[in-house]
Structures are given as C-alpha cells and as structure tokens.
Amino acid sequence: MARVLLKRGAESLVGVHVGSGGVAVTASGDGVSLLDGTTLNGLRSFPLGGSSASFEGGGAVLLEGSGLLCCLLRDGHSGSEAALVAVPSAGPAEHTLADAAPRVPLPTGSRPHSLHALRAGAGSECVAVVLVSGQVAWTCPAGGELSMHTAAAAAAPKKGSSAVAAKPRAASSCCDALGVLSQPSAGSDATVQMYAWRGGSLSPSHALPAACPSPTAIATQLHLAGPYALVEWSSGAVSIVQGAGVAGGSGQVDVSGSELLGGGGSDAAPTSSSAPSAAALAGKKRKPAAANAAAGAGPVMATPYDDTQFMVARLSVGRPSPGLHYALVDASFGCAVSTGHITLEPAVLAAAGAAATSASAPPRLFAAGGGDGPRGTVLLSAGGALLALPLSAPRASLLGLVGRLAIGAGAAGSSTSAAPAPRGTLHVAELMPAAASSGLPGSSSAAGKAAPGGSGHGSAAGTAAGVLFAAPAAAVSVSPGPQGEADLVARLNSAVAGSDGDGSNTSSSCAKLLPSALSACEDAARGSRGVSPSLASATARCAGAAGAWEDLARLLSLLPMQGLPGSCCSYLLSGASCAQRYELLCPLACKLDEAVPSELVAALSTLLSPTTPANQASRKGYHTSLRAHAKAAISDASPQLRMGSASGAGDVLRGEAWRHALNLAHCAAAAVDGFGYSEVTLHALLSAPLDAPALHGCLARLSNRGVDRLLTYLAKWVDKYTHVLGDGAASVPLPSELLIPTFAQVLEWLRVLLDAHLARLLMARQPHPALPALAGALRDQMGACQQLLPLLGTAEHIRHAAPLPHPHVAAATQYTVELLDLGTRMAA
C-alpha cells in the first residue's frame, strides 16, 4: 500500500526535488516542505509568505554540499522579474521565502523554464536556470555570488540544414550534467543538448539526437541517469538514449510503455502489417485507445531507478485492477526485469485519476533510491498529493536478460516476410510472454501483455543476445536468485536452531555459513533491491550464535536505517551487552525496526549492573572511545564558533550555521560529561524505538537497584535538557557513535518507570535523591511553557495557515472606545 507523505489541493504541487540530503516538495502559494532523505519523514517547512509572491520555474532544489535551499520567486505587486533566493536548509526558517535576502536577479527580459542543482565530483556546486528562450544561466549562491552568468550557446545548426531553433520542452540534471530537451514540431526528431559543470563553469558539452517514434508524437519529459537519458513521448513510448555522460556514444532504444502496461496510447506507433503480431499469436485482441480512456488509464510515466534500470508506470482508475501498474526495464536492452501492481487508497486514487487528465499538473514519478534514500521506493506526485510507493525490485540477472532477448528473437524470427524495425526498436511486451513461460533464471513471474509488432525486432534482439553469449564465462557474474537466497536463509535458520544434522555444534555450523551469507548480503546491498529482511535477520542471528561480533558489525554497515527485523533480532542487544561489545549497541539501536520490550529490559539489566573488575576495562574503553568521538565533533564545530564570536554580533545575528555548531558542541559534550562508565552504555538503548504500553510490564520486573540507577541516569538527562541543551538539540544530526536519547524519549522513559514502580517510591522511608532534582527541572519547564501561553492564539493562526489581514482592513478595525459614567450615587 502506498504511503501518503503530503497532501495539498489539486494542482498545488509544482515541484519535487530528490537528493541524498533530502526531498524538497514545493506547493504553490504555500511554501517548501523538506523531507528526510532516508525515512521520508517531514523535517521542516519554509513558508512562502507575501500574498503576491509566487514560485517560478518549477519547485525548489537543494544544494547538498553547502546546505542551501534555492528557488525562483516573483513578486506580482511590484512587477519585478523572477529572482533566485537561497536560504539555509538546516534548522527552522528565520524568515519567509518572500522576505529572504539577498536575491540574485535573472538576466534582463528573461523568463525561467526550470531550476536545477549541479555538483561536480570535487564538491563545487552551482544552480542552473533553463530559460524559455533556450539559454541557460547559472550562479554559485554558496560562494556569495549576486549575479547570473549565461552559459555559452550550443553549436548552431549547419548551413542549409532544416533544423529550427526550438524552445525547451523539458530539462533534467544529474550530478554535474544538465540536459535540455527541444523539439521543433510534433513528429520531428528531438535533441537533448547536454551541458557540463566543470572547472567552475557551465558550458555545452555535446548533443544527443532522440528520434521520434511515431509521426505525430510530442516529447513531453526528460530524465537523466548518468550513462543514459529517458525521453517520454505523448504516444506512450519511452526512448532510452545512451551516451548522456560522454560525447560520441549515442544510441537509442524505444520501449512501448503503453503496450507493456496494457492499452494503446493516444498516438500508437505503426506496426508491420506483413507479420503476425504477438497479440494475434496469443489469441488476444488489442484494446482500442477509446476503451482505455473509458477504463480510466492515465498517461505513461517513467523515471530512472538506478544506473541500469528505469521504471515505466501508468495509473488505472477503472476495473479490474485499479492502482498503479509498473514495470522495471533494463536500460541497456529495453527488456523488462519485473512487473507489478501497487494498490492505492480510493480517495488518493480518485484524486490521482483526476490529475491524470490534467494538462497543467500531470502525474510525475521520482526515484527515491538515489544517494542515501530508501531502496525500493519511488515517489508519485498526483492530484496535489505526494506518495511513497514500495517496490519489489529484484537485482537484474544477466542470464535472465539473455534469455529474454534470445527467446524473443527466436519467436519473432519465425516470420520470413517482416521488415526490420527502424532505429533498433524493442517492444518489451513481445519478449515477456515467452520469457515468463521459460525456465530460465531471472525470468519474471508476471508476464507483460502481448503487444502488436513485426518480427523485425528479432534482428536487434538476436544481435544483442549474440554479443552477450560471445563474452567469456569468467566475465559473467551471476548472483543467486530468489530461490538460492531462500535456500541460504533456510540453512542459516537451521544452523541457528542446531538442527543442521552434520553432528557439529551450533556455533561452528554458523561460523561455516557466515562467509557465504555475508557475501550474499554484500551483493544484495550493491544491487537495486538491497538486503532482504529475511536474509538480514538470518545472518544477524547466525553471527550472534557464533559470537562473531565483527561479522555482525560488518552486516549492520550494509543495512539501511530500521532494516533489521526487531521481532527476531532484539535479543542481540542483550547478547552484545553480555559479551561487553558496547560499540555494537548504537548500530543495533539504529538498524532495528523495533525493540522487543523484554529483550530491551534484559539488556538494560545487564548494563545497570555494578562495574566490577570483570567489566571495568571494557566499560572504561568504551567511555574513552565515546569521549574521543565527542572531542572530534567539538573540534569540527570550533571553527564556526570562533567565526561567530569574532563577529561580535548577538546570538540572533550570528546566523543559523553558528547556532547549529553550538548545539552540536553542546550535544557532543553532554553525551559524556557527568556520566559514569556504565551510564554511557545506556544512551543507545534509550534511543531505540519504544513501545511504552508493552515496556510498562517489563520494567515492573526490573530490580530495585536497577530502578534507582536508571532514575539517577534519567535525572541527569532532564537536567541537561532543561539548563544546557534546550530545544535546539532536536535538530542536530549527531554522528552515529554519539547517539543520545531525545528529550521526548527521556520523559517517556521517566513516565513509564515512575508508573511501574510508583508504590515502592511512595512508600520509601526517604525519597530517592533524584526525585527533588527532577521536580525542580520539570518545574522550570512548566514555567517556560506558562510564559508561552499568550502566543497560543498566534501559533494556532500560523499552524492553520490562516491569511493575514490586508493593511486597509487592519486600519479600519483599530478604534478606541471611551465610556462616560453618568450615574449618580443616591443618598440614603
């Protein structure tokens, strides 16, 4: 089921920018929402402000190296031209975007088409603005530039050529490359003009021709993905244009997305009449375009998934299977790797279906698996909503691709009178039924619908298959398929359970299987699908049973956040605590999707035990290591703090970077200062996901000595958050080694602990020493909250995005009332 990330009014989302540092979502008339790039949870918002301000050139983009959020704004009242605004993306917004300064004006008389962020390998960044005229302007806001540079014009058409200068239809960027798509007229060939950001300058590099797949097709979208570019057409076709990264390597393969996903497009490509179609061979009839429209089939969408695969999808509102139908396609040969269907909520599907027919705000796809984002996730913007779509994306198998190409070539080659298809067109749907029915490894279980087409496609497929079969066997690396992974998981689980049957003990059996299990995990992590939860949990349990803690640390480094099932692996917290491998507690707390309360309390009991000669050395070593990490973090923040202090300005004027560095230094120092050897080991456990109702019963079984020590530990955190850290610590991204509980987590643990042991604490002869300190700290917090109560009405007004009154209305409502008391006191 899809997850709704944001929901606004119809046609309100004007842009989505996905980067490794986060996802910036721009809503017309509202502002920019920044989502976490890993969890896709909301981080902060940047309100637009100003009743006359509006976004231009699409949505905002993120400069990840300098931490800037950039957008193009226009003030409607002043009639000024659009200008570039750059604000820090970290921390809360100090001003609205309309009030942000300084601004970088666009070249005089120009209108923006789209905004893009480019970054070279060395770390230099720029913001590029594609103009409606076809020119490209750029600037470096991180370097303090206040003017735009215009990139050199692309090479002019040769004399006597029929090429006509065309306005850009779409543009896209990837790393240090920018592509601008143009097409003079419907049915004519398009051109992708590539620009490169190198040496501190943006200049044209080369041009890629994109041949039109049908006589009346119009190029609608462009996507760059490193070595290749995708061009979407109004006919439902998607062109894979190779050579986006380097000049001279151009090649094109067209994929019929309309036929692959079912239903023809509005401008279907002609097929060969001299050969029987795949649909005729399968005994099926093509559904006409009118029938598809009646069934609620939306336009074909595409987005790169990684450097080797891309996704083709279509929304379907009508029966029999409403939702999003998709296919993952290999970018080199145009062969479908897998197909699937994602169910959408009825309300979301209705809004998305209405947006599918909108020309001003059509649905768009964005891959969220780049950088540090979650693998197997694609974002869908439709109907004013942004949705996260989970995908089951198997790693592409070379043997599977060869089988699809070879069988497709054989099936199509049986016809003798077919003419070869122009430009190496491969209709993917023709190859899918035969591959799905075969027993070749890597073949998809879901076959695409048959598509019409001649046997001429077999020539291109056979050539590609012949080239692959000619490669030496040593050069072909075959990863284990789903069945091989299932067998490995079964063997790991059997070894952990001690039922391997070879007479050896569990520890040695697990140790024998660990190298192959870790190798499979590394292969899966390098692929597009990532390590599956079943393989991750089986390998982790095997490492724990063998006592191979270094292998467990190696496995945890391959997993994403919350990528380890806690229902069967939470006991590793207790195991690592008993083995005194305290350095594993932080990665375990980050990678477990949940912590079973009983296992969490068991680990807590071990760590709350007194420090003895048996564990003193390991606890002291961990404390020393943690202090070294804290010193390193403080040293990293020191230059920014010294610059702010040298300016002599107040805290408000020193800027967001200075406050961020100060909060980082405070949090790093708070992680070690005032805590003993055993207390620093508790930070990770209290930072793990918490199920408070279930934890209550488990904490009731904690020993009295453990309760007293935990209460003292929690009182220290309450004092630190009240008098030192404050609310600024919540937005500080600390290193994983300095994982500390948030103030909300500390208060939740304190509430559950007091509730579980309230009777004993109340009946004690003397109150616990930490209780008076806790009462004083919480009293200070309550006093601060009381002072904020007068702002409650204003905060509610802003939270509901209520409009501010116009100046003339505000002036008319200001008046003074004078009362004159004419009453007289009657004498008695």
Side-chain angles (χ1 to χ4, degrees):
M1 179 68 72
R3 169 188 169 196
V4 179
L5 304 178
L6 288 174
K7 194 171 184 180
R8 298 290 189 268
E11 302 184 1
S12 63
L13 296 187
V14 297
V16 177
H17 177 258
V18 181
S20 59
V23 180
V25 186
T26 307
S28 175
D30 185 8
V32 181
S33 299
L34 188 61
L35 309 181
D36 184 83
T38 302
T39 63
L40 297 179
N41 295 328
L43 291 179
R44 58 193 64 90
S45 298
F46 299 85
L48 175 60
S51 59
S52 62
S54 61
F55 291 105
E56 294 284 330
V61 298
L62 286 169
L63 287 179
E64 298 162 8
S66 55
L68 293 178
L69 180 79
C70 304
C71 60
L72 292 171
L73 294 181
R74 181 188 299 274
D75 190 349
H77 282 345
S78 62
S80 60
E81 296 180 343
L84 178 71
V85 175
V87 297
S89 61
E94 299 181 358
H95 306 283
T96 64
L97 295 175
D99 296 332
R103 297 189 175 195
V104 183
L106 295 184
T108 305
S110 61
R111 290 174 51 206
H113 174 274
S114 55
L115 181 67
H116 306 272
L118 304 178
R119 185 178 187 184
S124 61
E125 297 175 312
C126 80
V127 174
V129 183
V130 178
L131 305 176
V132 175
S133 62
Q135 292 181 306
V136 177
W138 60 273
T139 187
C140 299
E145 291 191 11
L146 299 178
S147 60
M148 282 278 183
H149 308 275
T150 302
K158 296 180 180 180
K159 187 175 182 180
S161 172
S162 60
V164 180
K167 295 182 179 180
R169 292 191 178 273
S172 178
S173 61
C174 179
C175 300
D176 61 349
L178 170 68
V180 181
L181 174 67
S182 60
Q183 184 187 21
S185 59
S188 61
D189 291 345
T191 301
V192 180
Q193 178 60 51
M194 301 297 301
Y195 293 80
W197 168 250
R198 296 187 181 92
S201 178
L202 183 66
S203 58
S205 58
H206 60 286
L208 297 175
C212 185
S214 61
T216 58
I218 299 175
T220 56
Q221 291 293 344
L222 173 68
H223 309 275
L224 293 187
Y228 67 93
L230 295 179
V231 180
E232 296 183 37
W233 302 88
S234 60
S235 61
V238 178
S239 296
I240 315 165
V241 184
Q242 302 291 343
V246 293
S250 177
Q252 179 175 341
V253 174
D254 295 334
V255 173
S256 178
S258 298
E259 302 296 342
L260 174 63
L261 301 170
S266 59
D267 184 18
T271 58
S272 174
S273 59
S274 58
S277 66
L281 293 174
K284 298 180 181 179
K285 297 181 180 180
R286 287 188 61 197
K287 186 184 294 184
N292 292 317
V300 173
M301 302 171 286
T303 185
Y305 188 74
D306 53 29
D307 289 347
T308 61
Q309 301 175 81
F310 68 93
M311 176 183 178
V312 180
R314 162 180 270 173
L315 283 167
S316 178
V317 181
R319 294 182 179 182
S321 54
L324 186 83
H325 298 264
Y326 71 89
L328 284 174
V329 184
D330 178 76
S332 299
F333 307 108
C335 292
V337 176
S338 67
T339 59
H341 170 265
I342 298 176
T343 304
L344 303 180
E345 295 180 3
V348 175
L349 182 60
T357 59
S358 172
S360 57
R364 292 284 306 278
L365 287 174
F366 306 90
D372 299 328
R375 288 285 182 180
T377 303
V378 170
L379 304 181
L380 170 64
S381 171
L386 183 67
L387 297 87
L389 309 176
L391 294 184
S392 176
R395 185 179 180 183
S397 168
L398 183 59
L399 288 180
L401 295 178
V402 171
R404 288 180 177 87
L405 288 170
I407 292 179
S414 59
S415 174
T416 57
S417 58
R423 294 185 294 275
T425 302
L426 294 177
H427 286 274
V428 181
E430 290 187 87
L431 309 182
M432 287 296 295
S437 60
S438 70
L440 288 176
S443 61
S444 175
S445 59
K449 293 188 177 182
S455 62
H457 308 313
S459 174
T463 303
V467 172
L468 287 175
F469 279 121
V476 180
S477 174
V478 182
S479 62
Q483 185 60 40
E485 180 178 308
D487 293 341
L488 178 59
V489 171
R491 292 167 58 200
L492 291 171
N493 291 332
S494 177
V496 172
S499 59
D500 49 320
D502 63 352
S504 59
N505 57 40
T506 300
S507 177
S508 60
S509 300
C510 292
K512 293 177 182 177
L513 292 174
L514 270 179
S516 58
L518 288 173
S519 177
C521 291
E522 289 175 345
D523 291 341
R526 284 192 295 265
S528 59
R529 61 186 177 92
V531 185
S532 66
S534 59
L535 179 59
S537 62
T539 306
R541 293 168 59 234
C542 193
W549 303 110
E550 290 79 7
D551 291 336
L552 178 60
R554 179 180 164 192
L555 169 67
L556 294 175
S557 66
L558 302 174
L559 302 180
M561 299 291 289
Q562 300 183 351
L564 186 64
S567 58
C568 55
C569 297
S570 294
Y571 76 94
L572 293 174
L573 290 169
S574 178
S577 301
C578 293
Q580 301 179 18
R581 301 304 299 259
Y582 306 122
E583 72 278 2
L584 293 176
L585 295 177
C586 283
L588 277 172
C590 293
K591 301 306 173 67
L592 287 171
D593 59 357
E594 63 174 341
V596 176
S598 58
E599 301 294 348
L600 191 62
V601 173
L604 201 63
S605 301
T606 303
L607 298 177
L608 287 172
S609 61
T611 300
T612 62
N615 58 26
Q616 182 178 7
S618 56
R619 289 187 176 184
K620 182 179 179 180
Y622 181 69
H623 188 277
T624 304
S625 173
L626 196 65
R627 182 171 290 276
H629 287 299
K631 287 183 177 180
I634 295 173
S635 299
D636 294 340
S638 296
Q640 188 67 42
L641 294 176
R642 285 194 293 266
M643 290 176 57
S645 301
S647 64
D651 289 357
V652 178
L653 300 179
R654 284 174 177 172
E656 185 64 30
W658 181 86
R659 285 192 292 274
H660 176 78
L662 182 62
N663 290 331
L664 175 62
H666 280 164
C667 290
V672 291
D673 288 349
F675 290 114
Y677 291 160
S678 63
E679 289 177 323
V680 294
T681 61
L682 303 177
H683 296 345
L685 294 186
L686 269 70
S687 304
L690 178 63
D691 185 357
L695 182 64
H696 181 277
C698 298
L699 272 181
R701 298 191 293 269
L702 193 63
S703 66
N704 292 341
R705 176 179 294 182
V707 172
D708 294 341
R709 293 171 67 89
L710 183 57
L711 200 57
T712 302
Y713 169 82
L714 293 172
K716 292 181 180 180
W717 273 121
V718 172
D719 181 73
K720 288 175 181 290
Y721 274 106
T722 303
H723 300 106
V724 180
L725 300 181
D727 297 334
S731 60
V732 176
L734 288 170
S736 58
E737 298 83 6
L738 293 176
L739 184 65
I740 62 175
T742 63
F743 195 24
Q745 289 173 323
V746 170
L747 292 179
E748 187 68 9
W749 271 91
L750 184 60
R751 182 190 68 80
V752 176
L753 181 64
L754 292 177
D755 193 18
H757 295 270
L758 184 60
R760 187 184 73 85
L761 293 174
L762 288 177
M763 297 174 64
R765 294 183 178 180
Q766 293 182 348
H768 191 281
L771 292 179
L774 282 170
L778 295 178
R779 194 178 299 113
D780 294 341
Q781 291 283 338
M782 293 175 61
C785 294
Q786 289 290 338
Q787 296 176 9
L788 293 175
L789 281 179
L791 298 177
L792 180 59
T794 304
E796 287 294 316
H797 188 92
I798 296 175
R799 188 172 69 88
H800 289 88
L804 295 176
H806 294 289
H808 68 278
V809 176
T813 56
Q814 295 175 0
Y815 56 89
T816 303
V817 177
E818 295 183 1
L819 297 178
L820 177 61
D821 186 6
L822 299 178
T824 58
R825 179 174 298 178
M826 302 297 294

